[in-house]
Amino acid sequence: MAEIMKVHGSVISTATQRVLACLNEKELEFEFIPVNMAVGEHKKDSFLAINPFGQVPAFEQGDLKLFESRAITQYIAHGYAEKGTTLIIPGRPMATLSVWMEVEAHQFDPPMFGIPTDNAAVEENEAKLTKVLDVYEARLAQSKYLGGDIFTLADLHHLPNISCAMKTQVKKLFDSRPHVSAWVADITSRPAWSKVVAMGK
Amino acid sequence: MLRYVTDKKQLLLQNPAVKMKFQAVTLKVRQRSSRCPLKIVESKAKYRLIDLPEEHYQKANKVVDIDGVFGEDGDRKEDNNEDIPEDYKRIKHSALAILQWVYGPPLSTAVSRVLATLLEKDVPFQIIPVDMSKGEHKKPDYLKIQPFGQVPAFQDESISLFESRSICRYVCEKYADKGNKGLYGTNPLEKASIDQWVEAEGQSFGPPSGALVFQLAFAPRMNIPQDQGAIKQNEEKLQKVLDIYERRLGESRFLAGDEFTFADLSHLPNGDYLVNATDKGHLFTSRENVGRWWNEISDRESWKKVVEMRKSS
């Protein structure tokens, strides 16, 4: 694909960070277009034309317009499989990778996303997260990374929410599980991720 | 009534290396009428294979060794045939031809997503019952194939999977040339367009519609008190999402373009309960484009078959 890739988003949005991490891992050139959410730019018609849900990120390449960070990362990872870090595993192992991408989206993300303000909600989220992380601990005891032997999208998709979590009381849930803890230390120290974090500063 | 498994015996693992052995003792094959030549096998087998060794997650080409009987003769009761409609023919069918197993009841929204996909792709499969009322889905045997203790789980000759959308993606990839070939797109651009709507379904449509379906259709049956606040909140969220869908479906016939794809299919499970088992169907029918789209996608032969399977379970 010759046309330049454009990412519309916000450097502090976890979903936007997911896409930026992927582009950095792939060592790809792209144009970052900040969306000023404070003034409602994401609800304007020009933005809705790319993402009808009025959310960040949105992605463009030539005529192609995409939304939903996990659809965007998969498009990039498959389309540029030979560049930079291989974020997918070809063949049958792709199915297992896909399982853990869904796990991140449906089991991990919900209790992590958003900031509950009352204690009951915080406790409920922590209870859910505890169960999820028990499964992760067992998985990571058998497999170096979630999707298989190598770092893939299945791990990358977790980075934004994990980074946030490490700054809150939820950190203890990760630290108390040796395999999860080692995996977190590994993936959060990747240079591609550090670049994303630096953008937000 | 399709009876759920009540007697369970651990599959005898004859090979210390845990080679996969499976045989459904009695299989019933329902042959569809000449309109649509799909074979659906619903097994009344009481046992199922659970344990897959770790290597199966990695290796591509394991062959299933389907021999050996599990369970004892005395445990097998005569199958109850009263639920099979008159126009179906019963044929004895070899287990060797069935290479896809889906664990879980068709009543489950996530299970039905997988079933609809298998039917769209013309892929034979077998449903393995999981008696959730008896907590079967939380038992160690089942947790080995679905560590979150949910349905569905899926196995074929070489892999064990969970999470309905990834099972569906796998089936579409494995059987790219079968059945509805365009179900997950035929090139990367189409696939990406479908993916974004599948994600939208999972992230934006699914949570509020799922909450409404649970509160309005399932909670009463389970004697769980309804949460009126949650109902109101989720209805409002769903209204906003459906406004976006209304705009989109004014621009194109289906979500990802002019053809029915997995992006549309993914909405069928929650949508069906919403329209047919709650009083919130008007959320769809009061919107012209969403209503039109809903009528079209719910009229698919594959989905009608899933609805039939639910009724007989």
Side-chain angles (χ1 to χ4, degrees):
Chain A
M1 281 263 182
E3 293 127 322
I4 185 86
M5 290 185 275
K6 297 182 190 174
V7 178
H8 302 254
S10 158
V11 290
I12 55 167
S13 137
T14 51
T16 305
Q17 289 171 347
R18 196 171 280 126
V19 174
L20 298 176
C22 177
L23 288 162
N24 289 347
E25 286 284 352
K26 303 302 288 172
E27 295 160 28
L28 292 167
E29 297 283 321
F30 63 95
E31 194 184 321
F32 180 69
I33 301 165
V35 175
N36 190 342
M37 295 171 78
V39 303
E41 208 182 309
H42 54 313
K43 303 295 179 189
K44 300 226 166 88
D45 282 345
S46 52
F47 186 80
L48 293 175
I50 322 170
N51 186 346
F53 290 86
Q55 293 168 333
V56 291
F59 174 92
E60 284 183 290
Q61 185 176 39
D63 289 333
L64 176 69
K65 294 177 171 49
L66 288 179
F67 53 87
E68 283 296 334
S69 61
R70 296 171 187 86
I72 297 167
T73 56
Q74 287 185 65
Y75 170 73
I76 294 166
H78 285 276
Y80 295 88
E82 270 93 64
K83 258 216 115 206
T85 315
T86 312
L87 294 173
I88 51 173
I89 309 172
R92 198 140 288 174
M94 188 66 215
T96 303
L97 210 168
S98 166
V99 166
W100 290 94
M101 281 199 285
E102 291 297 315
V103 168
E104 183 275 325
H106 298 287
Q107 309 283 356
F108 181 84
D109 189 85
M112 293 282 282
F113 192 77
I115 306 154
T117 46
D118 66 277
N119 285 329
V122 168
E123 263 180 45
E124 203 186 306
N125 270 355
E126 274 193 36
K128 282 184 190 161
L129 193 55
T130 298
K131 288 189 175 153
V132 170
L133 290 179
D134 282 342
V135 176
Y136 276 43
E137 181 65 15
R139 171 65 180 160
L140 292 164
Q142 318 165 319
S143 176
K144 184 159 188 227
Y145 293 97
L146 284 177
D149 294 328
I150 60 170
F151 176 82
T152 64
L153 288 182
D155 311 286
L156 184 151
H157 284 174
H158 290 78
L159 283 165
N161 280 325
I162 285 183
S163 246
C164 281
M166 290 297 122
K167 300 171 193 158
T168 74
Q169 70 202 66
V170 155
K171 179 178 193 301
K172 62 180 190 288
L173 299 178
F174 291 83
D175 289 345
S176 60
R177 291 167 172 79
H179 294 96
V180 169
S181 178
W183 169 74
V184 166
D186 182 320
I187 66 173
T188 51
S189 63
R190 294 182 69 91
W193 178 246
S194 308
K195 276 172 74 178
V196 177
V197 172
M199 274 177 89
K201 293 209 168 115
Chain B
M1 292 290 286
L2 187 73
R3 281 196 285 269
Y4 286 23
V5 174
T6 50
D7 286 326
K8 271 153 280 297
K9 281 207 173 102
Q10 184 67 39
L11 176 67
L12 253 153
L13 302 171
Q14 295 171 13
N15 186 327
V18 193
K19 207 167 149 197
M20 188 151 75
K21 287 185 196 294
F22 173 79
Q23 182 176 33
V25 176
T26 308
L27 296 180
K28 287 215 160 1
V29 174
R30 294 178 179 194
Q31 188 146 35
R32 284 179 65 97
S33 67
S34 55
R35 277 175 294 136
C36 191
L38 297 178
K39 284 200 181 96
I40 297 149
V41 177
E42 286 168 64
S43 167
K44 300 248 168 40
K46 291 178 184 258
Y47 312 108
R48 68 201 179 285
L49 167 77
I50 295 294
D51 227 347
L52 268 187
E54 188 49 30
E55 303 95 68
H56 276 276
Y57 289 102
Q58 314 298 335
K59 283 177 191 161
N61 296 311
K62 280 285 184 195
V63 174
V64 178
D65 184 358
I66 307 175
D67 61 9
V69 177
F70 44 80
E72 287 162 45
D73 285 347
D75 287 330
R76 274 178 264 137
K77 295 192 175 91
E78 262 317 303
D79 283 313
N80 184 336
N81 298 329
E82 69 198 13
D83 56 329
I84 296 175
E86 289 303 311
D87 60 328
Y88 284 107
K89 233 168 33 169
R90 265 166 282 144
I91 298 171
K92 278 238 155 73
H93 196 96
S94 163
L96 284 166
I98 308 304
L99 295 176
Q100 272 72 227
W101 296 281
V102 181
Y103 293 79
L107 286 172
S108 146
T109 49
V111 171
S112 65
R113 183 177 286 115
V114 174
L115 301 179
T117 302
L118 288 160
L119 289 162
E120 281 282 334
K121 297 300 283 175
D122 275 356
V123 171
F125 61 91
Q126 188 167 331
I127 296 173
I128 311 290
V130 177
D131 191 344
M132 295 171 82
S133 67
K134 300 218 162 123
E136 205 181 309
H137 55 312
K138 302 292 182 191
K139 300 234 167 90
D141 267 353
Y142 186 77
L143 292 175
K144 282 179 195 160
I145 57 168
Q146 217 296 12
F148 294 90
Q150 295 168 337
V151 290
F154 172 93
Q155 285 175 329
D156 69 7
E157 71 281 5
S158 63
I159 200 165
S160 186
L161 301 172
F162 57 96
E163 286 293 336
S164 64
R165 293 168 195 82
S166 77
I167 296 167
C168 295
R169 284 189 172 112
Y170 172 74
V171 167
C172 288
E173 180 69 36
K174 181 181 179 186
Y175 293 102
D177 293 330
K178 279 207 86 184
N180 184 337
K181 295 185 185 158
L183 191 63
Y184 223 114
T186 53
N187 63 60
L189 294 183
E190 284 176 3
K191 186 178 180 298
S193 295
I194 294 167
D195 268 339
Q196 71 181 356
W197 285 101
V198 174
E199 291 299 315
E201 180 270 317
Q203 298 289 328
S204 300
F205 174 85
S209 62
L212 283 175
V213 164
F214 175 76
Q215 291 289 339
L216 297 167
F218 286 98
R221 286 187 219 177
M222 294 159 72
N223 288 321
I224 295 174
Q226 291 179 327
D227 179 344
Q228 295 302 329
I231 293 172
K232 185 164 180 286
Q233 208 181 49
N234 283 292
E235 188 175 337
E236 276 166 22
K237 275 188 196 165
L238 189 56
Q239 293 264 29
K240 290 191 177 138
V241 171
L242 291 176
D243 285 341
I244 296 168
Y245 278 47
E246 181 66 8
R247 270 181 74 166
R248 170 59 184 166
L249 293 162
E251 297 162 1
S252 79
R253 187 172 162 202
F254 296 100
L255 286 172
D258 292 325
E259 300 292 332
F260 176 83
T261 65
F262 182 71
D264 309 288
L265 185 156
S266 210
H267 292 76
L268 284 165
N270 279 358
D272 187 80
Y273 278 129
L274 208 66
V275 169
N276 295 311
T278 77
D279 60 353
K280 301 296 177 189
H282 64 89
L283 294 173
F284 279 50
T285 54
S286 64
R287 291 173 167 81
E288 192 187 322
N289 298 321
V290 172
R292 175 209 84 224
W293 166 76
W294 176 255
N295 286 339
E296 220 180 324
I297 67 173
S298 56
D299 201 43
R300 299 284 298 187
E301 286 302 318
S302 58
W303 186 248
K304 291 200 284 203
K305 185 64 197 163
V306 172
V307 170
E308 232 175 271
M309 289 166 80
R310 280 178 170 176
K311 285 185 185 147
S312 62
S313 70

